[in-house]
Amino acid sequence: MRKIQVQILLIFLTGISISFAQQPQKPSSVEIYNQIKKLNFLGSVLYLAAHPDDENTRLISYMANEMNARTGYLSLTRGDGGQNLIGPQLRELLGVIRTQELIEARKIDGGEQFFSRANDFGYSKNPDETLVIWDKDKVLADVVWTIRKFQPDVIINRFDHRSPGTTHGHHTSSAMLSVESFKLTNDPKVYPEQLKYVKPWQVKRLFFNPSWWFYGSQERFDAADKSKFTKLETGVYYTGIGKSNQEIAALSRSRHQSQGFGSTGSRGAETEYLELIKGDSPIDRDNLFDGIDTSWNRVKNGKPIGELITTIIAKYDFSNPSASIPDLVKAYAMIEALEDDHWKTVKATAIKNIIASCSGLYLEAVVSEQEATPGSIIKLSLEAINRSSAEMQLTSVTSLPDNKNTAQNILLKNNNDQKINLQIQLPSNIEYTQPYWLKEKASVGMYTVSNQENIGIPDIIRQVKVVFNVKISGVEIPFERTVVYKYNDGVKGEMYNFLDIVPEVTTSVLEKVLIFGSTKSKMVPVKVRAGKDGIKGNLQLELPKSWDVSPKEIPFTLEKKGNEQIFYFEVTPPVNPEEVVAKSIAIVDNKRFDKDETIIDYPHITKQMVLKPAESKCIRIDLKTNGDSIAYIMGAGDEVPESLAQMGYKVSVIKPEEITPEKLDSFNVVITGVRAYNTVNALANKQNILFNFVKSGKNMIVQYNTYGKMVTDQIAPYSLKISNDRVTEENAKVTFLAPTHPILNTPNKISPKDFEGWTQEQGLYYPDQYDPAFIPILSSHDKGESAKNGALLVAPYGKGYYIYTGLSFFRELPEGVAGAYRLLSNMISLKQPIEAPKQELKK
């Protein structure tokens, strides 16, 4: 599906400027000066945690902008297991969103971003479980790889390795792996296959970054003995940009929109503490780099470079940054002559950007169309302009990936814009654009990345680029630019996207789960989309022989690139229950195309294209429904309404402001989406209407909400308190507490088998205290824990039923878990009269 989402105002930093995600940065004179100062600091810090939004952006911003250290954040996962407050994407698609949010956050706070191959499989209560599902050795290898590649002097852990079981298992695991890696990264016998690309490296110090959260309260943290901690005063005010460190950090943290972590900036003094875990203790305890040479003296032949940059800083003219260009070019040539590959690469990249900024050198390669297919010819418009008095010549341009060099020899005079047309023949074997970590088959706990050099790279790897070779002061400097697609929007103005390499044709089974509750056939829609002009072929829907598909194939013709057409296949299931996969295939010129293109397009991140197998799960199950009409009130975002429609229900998604007695009168059931009472403020004023709806003889089903901030304390007609109870073991044994209750028997007979094959977790945020009017239906628990009875609670109210469930229907239904469909049908179908036994308040 190609999805367009709501627009949000974006504020990015690397200049703290308003811009769209792909627009080139145009730093101010003050920002250029700060970048030059950073050239003279050769120290690195790596912050390490488990997920996007775990990182301490205040500390990352302080390290990058006040200390001028090269600062990175290693998030072991891409956040695939979380919830999504801005849309329906979950699992790997949510991971794609959260990856981009981290990349945008680092643009603001000045850090760099890295990942391991670990897959965020959902909440884990202890590191033992985490490290089994993750494959500890592989994730440890990725931590060692990142350290060897980044070469940090200092590592800072967000979490405490000594406290397993007190927080998310992923959190503790991240710290444990970091501590274990400390003695491994400098041992050439450890993961020797990495040494083809990197060298052993020894971190000097490893710290834990404690906060009040680890002490239980701010009061306890304030009272704790912190005399042995390193103390950093991070409440810095940056006069050059008019922002405090906390304000920058808040802008960075607010990029995590899918998690609802919008943050308000603060001002004034603020202190961060670090506890030394490994390595030598700094003599000056509050100097993180005490005893570590962070000058150019640490690099062979680096001292003259440091002296020259010191001179550039002293002579810097804020009214004319271009005056620094001759010396910057000299420094660049000296850096290029270094033997130290690490700092040579890091600082050469930085100083090239500074030279371009000082001269107002604008270089851009724009493609005429946003998508192209392998083997095609793309037309580029190149722009090169020097907005300074510095003498420059564009000697040539080199296109990638064909590596073709085209001579130009154009003198770039001050403010004289040069436009060049260029064509690139794309290789027929060029890879499609998509997140590289999703190309190979993954396990529950690990993504597969076969190419060692790609491990840890945060973003999509884009191959189509142009290198502008510019001679400045007699030195030729290559400036690489990724090809972009640019257009003007009548409202938003100049808009950017990257060039995407797409298949000649993509297909999509529009329903990702197809439910067959009987042997009755269904018409299954399949979409075909052209990636180039003049596509002609045949469309097939492949299913096992036990399923009947008609017709066997459908011819199609799509004249223009981007054209789409929907075709229908009649699918008849077998008599017996069966779960299979349907695959849509387009045959064009005897080639099979079997990719489904999903576009993720939110304005706070770069537009993403994800290619997945064009498949749908077909389930022939014994499912009985009563055909009720359902009003669905969206919460944080889920795909439950689509699943309900698959079951045969008439589903209407209604807005909170539409909730009136008259509007609800035509419905039999109201269902609230996940976290609705955390995110939909208008529900606070609609409870009486909803409770009267139940009282009149209808059903209300409330899906899980978190126990934190809620829009109202009265989410049920009886007392109900949400807790942090959850069952993370998706296959944990389920006991029926009320085996004769109709919710387990009508119209579908529910058995323990219906809880087999659940994914990620059984449920979350179960109530632990509730009125005796509620009947607990199910009980289960994770290994070694007490029984959790709040997964499914049913209370008669008036003539109807109020049902609260923490079961993860929002995960199970889109994954095609048959038992989840059967149980949900019973919840919807529940009817009075039933004499509900009174029970004591559960604790």
Side-chain angles (χ1 to χ4, degrees):
M1 289 186 296
R2 305 174 66 83
K3 299 179 179 177
I4 307 297
Q5 308 297 346
V6 294
Q7 181 177 3
I8 302 161
L9 180 67
L10 303 180
I11 302 177
F12 295 121
L13 192 105
T14 328
I16 317 228
S17 59
I18 297 177
S19 97
F20 294 97
Q22 300 83 18
Q23 285 190 341
Q25 297 295 334
K26 301 166 187 175
S28 68
S29 178
V30 171
E31 291 155 3
I32 295 170
Y33 176 72
N34 291 335
Q35 291 169 7
I36 297 173
K37 286 203 306 181
K38 197 164 186 173
L39 277 180
N40 241 6
F41 191 92
L42 279 68
S44 301
V45 180
L46 182 66
Y47 202 84
L48 197 151
H51 310 108
D53 71 50
D54 283 347
E55 79 274 23
N56 183 342
T57 54
R58 296 182 303 276
L59 198 50
I60 290 175
S61 175
Y62 177 80
M63 296 293 179
N65 299 306
E66 176 63 16
M67 299 191 74
N68 288 318
R70 186 183 182 213
T71 307
Y73 174 45
L74 171 56
S75 174
L76 295 189
T77 76
R78 295 177 183 268
D80 326 78
Q83 282 80 55
N84 185 0
L85 292 182
I86 60 174
Q89 297 89 355
L90 293 174
R91 294 300 302 139
E92 68 272 12
L93 296 183
L94 176 58
V96 170
I97 292 172
R98 298 190 71 189
T99 291
Q100 291 302 312
E101 289 177 338
L102 270 183
I103 291 170
E104 295 302 323
R106 297 294 80 80
K107 290 179 184 178
I108 292 172
D109 57 37
E112 299 175 47
Q113 186 60 51
F114 306 99
F115 295 96
S116 82
R117 289 170 291 176
N119 192 338
D120 179 3
F121 56 85
Y123 193 85
S124 177
K125 292 180 178 177
N126 62 76
D128 292 338
E129 178 196 39
T130 297
L131 295 174
V132 168
I133 296 176
W134 270 357
D135 189 332
K136 176 188 173 183
D137 185 66
K138 289 181 180 178
V139 183
L140 179 61
D142 292 355
V143 174
V144 171
W145 165 259
T146 302
I147 293 169
R148 286 172 169 173
K149 193 174 181 181
F150 188 70
Q151 295 187 10
D153 299 302
V154 175
I155 291 178
I156 301 173
N157 290 343
R158 167 79 279 188
F159 299 103
D160 190 350
H161 69 289
R162 300 160 296 193
S163 57
T166 61
T167 182
H168 197 321
H170 298 182
H171 292 166
T172 310
S173 295
S174 71
M176 292 169 65
L177 292 170
S178 176
V179 171
E180 186 173 349
S181 71
F182 189 84
K183 63 181 179 182
L184 303 179
T185 54
N186 203 32
D187 186 346
K189 296 178 182 178
V190 174
Y191 307 118
E193 69 279 3
Q194 297 179 1
L195 301 184
K196 180 180 177 181
Y197 311 101
V198 293
K199 297 176 181 178
W201 178 256
Q202 183 57 60
V203 177
K204 308 299 190 298
R205 296 174 186 130
L206 188 150
F207 293 92
F208 160 51
N209 176 207
S211 69
W212 69 264
W213 188 86
F214 297 93
Y215 286 76
S217 69
Q218 185 67 51
E219 291 73 22
R220 288 184 181 180
F221 185 54
D222 291 341
D225 179 11
K226 297 185 280 291
S227 61
K228 296 182 180 180
F229 289 0
T230 290
K231 185 171 65 173
L232 301 175
E233 300 299 338
T234 58
V236 180
Y237 176 66
Y238 301 110
T239 56
I241 57 176
K243 292 240 183 336
S244 70
N245 188 66
Q246 301 98 311
E247 288 171 319
I248 294 173
L251 290 170
S252 172
R253 188 153 184 81
S254 295
R255 294 306 93 210
H256 297 296
Q257 294 180 10
S258 66
Q259 297 303 107
F261 283 123
S263 181
T264 301
S266 61
R267 290 145 292 280
E270 187 173 77
T271 304
E272 288 286 342
Y273 295 93
L274 302 176
E275 178 186 359
L276 184 68
I277 301 298
K278 285 197 175 282
D280 63 302
S281 179
I283 296 174
D284 179 358
R285 188 180 300 280
D286 295 338
N287 181 356
L288 199 64
F289 289 96
D290 185 46
I292 300 172
D293 190 353
T294 58
S295 73
W296 278 96
N297 294 335
R298 76 184 295 172
V299 176
K300 182 181 178 181
N301 299 324
K303 185 178 180 181
I305 299 173
E307 292 172 346
L308 177 55
I309 293 173
T310 299
T311 300
I312 294 171
I313 293 170
K315 293 167 55 180
Y316 184 77
D317 185 349
F318 286 88
S319 64
N320 181 24
S322 66
S324 298
I325 292 175
D327 284 340
L328 285 168
V329 172
K330 288 180 186 177
Y332 167 78
M334 294 166 71
I335 291 170
E336 282 291 298
L338 290 174
E339 297 176 19
D340 185 306
D341 288 337
H342 175 72
W343 284 111
K344 173 182 175 178
T345 300
V346 171
K347 295 302 184 181
T349 300
I351 201 168
K352 283 196 295 184
N353 291 334
I354 292 169
I355 291 169
S357 297
C358 283
S359 61
L361 179 62
Y362 187 86
L363 304 169
E364 190 172 65
V366 178
V367 71
S368 56
E369 296 184 87
Q370 203 254 314
E371 295 181 347
T373 56
S376 63
I377 295 175
I378 59 172
K379 297 178 181 180
L380 299 182
S381 174
L382 310 185
E383 180 180 3
I385 182 170
N386 163 31
R387 289 170 288 187
S388 74
S389 59
E391 292 187 3
M392 295 188 189
Q393 183 183 31
L394 177 63
T395 59
S396 65
V397 293
T398 304
S399 57
L400 301 174
D402 61 350
N403 208 32
K404 181 181 178 182
N405 188 267
T406 305
Q408 300 295 329
N409 297 317
I410 298 173
L411 189 64
L412 297 180
K413 297 180 180 179
N414 186 5
N415 214 30
N416 187 2
D417 201 9
Q418 297 290 333
K419 299 289 180 66
I420 304 163
N421 293 323
L422 186 71
Q423 288 189 349
I424 297 180
Q425 172 79 55
L426 297 178
S428 59
N429 63 347
I430 190 172
E431 293 189 349
Y432 301 136
T433 302
Q434 67 168 319
Y436 70 89
W437 60 94
L438 298 180
K439 291 181 180 179
E440 301 176 72
K441 186 175 178 61
S443 67
V444 172
M446 296 294 296
Y447 285 118
T448 301
V449 181
S450 299
N451 187 336
Q452 176 67 52
E453 291 182 281
N454 290 347
I455 293 173
I457 293 175
D459 207 351
I460 288 172
I461 299 170
R462 299 183 184 272
Q463 298 175 273
V464 186
K465 301 178 181 182
V466 172
V467 179
F468 294 80
N469 300 299
V470 181
K471 185 175 287 186
I472 308 174
S473 300
V475 177
E476 187 166 277
I477 303 175
F479 295 91
E480 185 179 275
R481 297 292 184 265
T482 301
V483 171
V484 296
Y485 171 68
K486 186 170 67 171
Y487 64 98
N488 184 71
D489 182 278
V491 176
K492 303 171 187 175
E494 189 176 61
M495 300 293 291
Y496 281 77
N497 280 313
F498 287 112
L499 169 69
D500 285 336
I501 308 301
V502 303
E504 292 178 19
V505 60
T506 54
T507 72
S508 176
V509 185
L510 295 185
E511 302 292 346
K512 299 311 175 189
V513 176
L514 290 159
I515 301 296
F516 294 82
S518 68
T519 56
K520 185 179 179 182
S521 64
K522 281 190 175 186
M523 299 303 292
V524 176
V526 178
K527 183 178 72 175
V528 183
R529 182 176 187 271
K532 68 176 187 178
D533 292 343
I535 289 292
K536 185 176 183 180
N538 290 295
L539 181 65
Q540 300 174 357
L541 186 64
E542 294 184 352
L543 275 160
K545 291 182 179 180
S546 55
W547 295 66
D548 185 65
V549 180
S550 179
K552 297 302 180 184
E553 64 178 22
I554 301 174
F556 66 89
T557 300
L558 299 172
E559 297 292 343
K560 293 294 182 181
K561 176 180 181 178
N563 283 174
E564 297 178 351
Q565 195 168 351
I566 296 175
F567 300 93
Y568 290 86
F569 292 88
E570 184 177 12
V571 176
T572 306
V575 174
N576 297 321
E578 188 177 7
E579 294 185 9
V580 298
V581 173
K583 300 180 180 180
S584 60
I585 310 292
I587 309 295
V588 178
D589 296 330
N590 295 317
K591 292 191 293 185
R592 287 167 58 94
F593 292 90
D594 60 355
K595 298 298 182 185
D596 181 355
E597 178 190 72
T598 296
I599 298 297
I600 302 174
D601 196 4
Y602 292 97
H604 70 298
I605 60 174
T606 299
K607 178 183 175 184
Q608 301 291 292
M609 181 177 78
V610 180
L611 296 175
K612 300 171 66 178
E615 297 177 349
S616 174
K617 191 172 184 179
C618 293
I619 309 173
R620 168 67 177 99
I621 60 173
D622 180 16
L623 176 67
K624 300 179 180 65
T625 62
N626 59 12
D628 281 342
S629 57
I630 299 171
Y632 198 91
I633 304 167
M634 274 292 183
D638 57 61
E639 295 180 336
V640 174
E642 292 89 335
S643 299
L644 291 167
Q646 269 294 313
M647 296 167 71
Y649 293 109
K650 299 175 182 177
V651 185
S652 298
V653 176
I654 65 172
K655 298 176 181 179
E657 56 268 25
E658 295 175 341
I659 299 174
T660 64
E662 294 75 21
K663 179 72 172 179
L664 297 183
D665 187 58
S666 60
F667 298 101
N668 306 104
V669 181
V670 166
I671 301 178
T672 61
V674 298
R675 297 182 67 178
Y677 286 99
N678 298 124
T679 60
V680 184
N681 292 326
L683 279 178
N685 300 317
K686 301 293 183 177
Q687 291 301 86
N688 286 336
I689 296 173
L690 292 170
F691 295 159
N692 286 334
F693 172 83
V694 178
K695 205 170 187 178
S696 69
K698 310 291 183 70
N699 286 356
M700 180 177 179
I701 299 172
V702 176
Q703 297 182 82
Y704 97 95
N705 294 272
T706 64
Y707 68 95
K709 184 180 178 182
M710 302 181 75
V711 300
T712 176
D713 294 332
Q714 301 296 320
I715 67 169
Y718 306 109
S719 64
L720 180 76
K721 292 189 177 180
I722 311 282
S723 74
N724 197 30
D725 287 351
R726 63 202 302 160
V727 178
T728 63
E729 296 171 17
E730 55 268 31
N731 293 317
K733 180 182 177 182
V734 176
T735 300
F736 295 166
L737 298 177
T740 62
H741 197 287
I743 205 168
L744 295 176
N745 294 279
T746 304
N748 303 286
K749 179 68 174 178
I750 304 300
S751 73
K753 187 176 180 180
D754 287 297
F755 290 91
E756 294 176 1
W758 285 49
T759 64
Q760 190 161 328
E761 59 194 344
Q762 270 190 12
L764 60 171
Y765 297 105
Y766 295 168
D768 64 348
Q769 296 183 51
Y770 37 86
D771 190 90
F774 282 104
I775 303 170
I777 304 298
L778 307 172
S779 178
S780 64
H781 60 86
D782 288 328
K783 190 179 300 181
E785 294 194 356
S786 61
K788 305 296 186 288
N789 298 339
L792 181 58
L793 301 173
V794 182
Y797 183 68
K799 297 178 181 179
Y801 279 98
Y802 177 95
I803 303 170
Y804 186 93
T805 181
L807 293 171
S808 59
F809 287 107
F810 73 105
R811 297 193 191 281
E812 311 314 320
L813 298 176
E815 292 295 326
V817 178
Y821 282 91
R822 286 162 46 82
L823 179 57
L824 183 57
S825 174
N826 285 13
M827 293 161 60
I828 293 168
S829 304
L830 194 58
K831 295 287 188 289
Q832 288 204 40
I834 296 171
E835 186 176 346
K838 296 291 182 180
Q839 299 188 12
E840 294 182 1
L841 187 68
K842 305 295 178 182
K843 295 183 179 180

